[in-house]
Amino acid sequence: MKNLWNREDAGKLGEDPLGMRVYSSRLIGQEEDLVLHGGGNTSVKTKEANLFDEREDILHVKGSGWDLATIEKEGFSPVRLSVLKRMVELEQLSDVDMVRHQRSAMTDPTAPNPSVEAILHAIIPFTFVDHTHADAVVTISNTRNGEDRIKEIYGNRVLIVPYVMPGFVLAREVYKLTRQLDWNSIEAIILLNHGVFTFADEARSSYNSMIAIVSEAEEYLSRCESRDPDRGPEGEIDTLGVAKFRHDVSDLTGRPILAQSDNSSLSLSFSEQPELQSIADRGPLTPDHIIRTKRAPIVLTENLTEDLQDYSDAYRAYFGSFTDGTQTMLDPAPRWAVWPGRGTLCLGSSIKDVGMVRDIAQHTMKAIFRAEQLGGWHTLGKRDLFEMEYWTLEQEKLKKPGTPNPMLGRIALVTGAVSGIGKACVERLVDEGAVVAALDLDPEITTCYDRPEILNLECDVTDSGQLRSSVERTVAHFGGIDMLVSNAGIFPQSFSITGMDDGTWRKSMDINLDAHRQLLKLCVPYLEVGIDAAVVMMGSKNVAAPGPGASAYSVAKAGLSQLSRIAALELGEKGIRVNVLHPNAVYDTAIWTADILKERAENYGLTVTEYKENNVLRTEVTSKDVAELAVLMLGPGFSKTTGAQIPIDGGNERVI
Ligand code: ZN
């Protein structure tokens, strides 16, 4: 493992212990093989004057909810060391009391809750303490002769602690084991099935120890490894199977769930392990992963619905055997799936949760590959894992404040997404909590949005191959399609019918009519298994109130309206709603430059504002207004409406 310490960066921090603590915590946090998503914790001990000018020993320990990779000074909770050191002398301490008394010993009441390992940090008699869940060390310990191998690598240089629950129980165990110990005789503490603690009076020395200890484990693994799992071609994705499975999982959890396919060579080779069912069921890399990934992934076979039933039955049985009656069962759905010969699927309500599951699953698969070559993957028993899964202090981490966004977990596809109405729809959908595949012909789409909720796809909607591939990529990335905003369109140059060339006519039909039909046809199989499936077709005022010279545009849009009405009739029994939106005079789009607007307004003898507000309500209609209505039509407010034609034009006398 690379030592990332930079003398210059660290030198700038001078004598500021908390600054140094932030610096080396971040070095640890940026190495995924040390800690993942909130895992691990660090601390520094200082002497500080209180209000009465008395010097007190303070432990600044990582606060709950902070990530080491991005931690700031405010991420550390200042707790009076003397209180923590007395707590460990208690025979017993409940989680509730531990948290309450740690909070009341904080010198800043606005700081976050101290890490569950605060007491353990307090009793280690060094200024800086680092704790990680290093993959390499845990992998070796998660094998059949794990403890012997750890002894073989480190000898007496480390203190080995068999697995106990983190928190007070662990602190108490280490306290007992170290009462007679000369701390200077060990370099680290190895917690079997859990992780590593290093310590020193200098931040740099403690960090160096961590890197050195972990590097030794990595070298041991590379000596034993005979096969590299990162090989082989990518797997093929059965997108319809994925969408159906995601629908069933959503049913089981009672909320829409995303499902991201991972057909990387790592996932694929893992999915092709001969003993897959047995290996996958053995348990997670570290116990704290269980709140994100459940104890084990689901292994899929030919009948996904049956597999899910079996998995949830087994989960209910597991809960039944270990609960003491005080816990409420969590949803029995898996958080990741292994599909033999195809790779893995990562599940979650939000794309952020899916990302966490993906990272943990990838590290777990790598660890399993290695452990299998070291005598076999062997983790904690179900009882220990159950205790961790249902530990109140762990479940706290999953709580998110406020009410979830109404479209959380739902998946939309929007065409013509680079600007104007399409862009406004993408942004509005994401605001509501949905994830969106944003399609556009303009290559700018590839850099248009930079956030995990949006999948940018360059696509010519008139090319059926590109359209199919975009639909499939959407399903592979998010797990299905629930909502379609078929918006991409062009406004061709005006010609009278007699003056119109065939090319102009044909092009408008291709883009404004045919492409929508093709896209709808490709999406229907996914919408059928979608959640509250709904389609919004972007029509035009021209359907009800055509103008001379615009036959290519108006006829295509009229055709699109008729197509939508028939689609509403045909797809209603499948639960798919299809409605049409007819915007007019939306001028904040790419085609309407300031010059064109001015010229048009002058043609009618109006000012630009008068021209924009030239409707019954004397109001300007913007892209955002259209997006607002489109998203409303995709949501529960329109759950009883299909086949509707809804204008958004400020009121048009010819339409009314
Ligand atoms: Zn830990």
Side-chain angles (χ1 to χ4, degrees), residues 40-41 117 131 133 194:
N41 37 65
E117 310 292 18
H131 168 48
H133 299 162
H194 178 168

Side-chain angles (χ1 to χ4, degrees), residues 103-138:
R103 271 207 77 80
S104 61
M106 283 168 24
T107 56
D108 175 2
T110 64
N113 274 349
S115 151
V116 294
E117 310 292 18
I119 301 176
L120 178 46
H121 280 262
I123 62 167
I124 297 178
F126 291 92
T127 310
F128 288 87
V129 176
D130 294 329
H131 168 48
T132 71
H133 299 162
D135 281 2
V137 177
V138 184

Side-chain angles (χ1 to χ4, degrees), residues 115-240:
S115 151
V116 294
E117 310 292 18
I119 301 176
L120 178 46
H121 280 262
I123 62 167
I124 297 178
F126 291 92
T127 310
F128 288 87
V129 176
D130 294 329
H131 168 48
T132 71
H133 299 162
D135 281 2
V137 177
V138 184
T139 300
I140 295 167
S141 122
N142 280 351
T143 56
R144 245 165 248 294
N145 302 312
E147 185 167 357
D148 295 339
R149 290 179 189 275
I150 296 285
K151 279 183 187 152
E152 183 191 328
I153 300 168
Y154 303 107
N156 293 330
R157 294 183 290 129
V158 301
L159 172 72
I160 298 173
V161 182
Y163 180 82
V164 291
M165 265 294 270
F168 179 73
V169 183
L170 174 61
R172 180 90 190 142
E173 184 67 19
V174 174
Y175 172 69
K176 283 194 232 160
L177 288 172
T178 55
R179 260 188 292 200
Q180 310 296 330
L181 178 89
D182 172 10
W183 278 91
N184 287 308
S185 71
I186 56 165
E187 293 167 26
I189 300 174
I190 306 270
L191 307 170
L192 296 180
N193 312 103
H194 178 168
V196 185
F197 269 87
T198 58
F199 30 80
D201 286 330
E202 304 285 334
R204 185 177 185 178
S205 310
S206 181
Y207 173 78
N208 285 348
S209 284
M210 181 63 74
I211 301 302
I213 289 282
V214 175
S215 298
E216 281 182 75
E218 287 182 340
E219 282 154 24
Y220 180 87
L221 283 170
S222 64
R223 279 201 301 277
C224 300
E225 251 175 274
S226 56
R227 194 160 67 92
D228 180 2
D230 283 356
R231 267 193 218 132
E234 293 194 337
E236 247 184 59
I237 297 170
D238 168 4
T239 44
L240 199 54

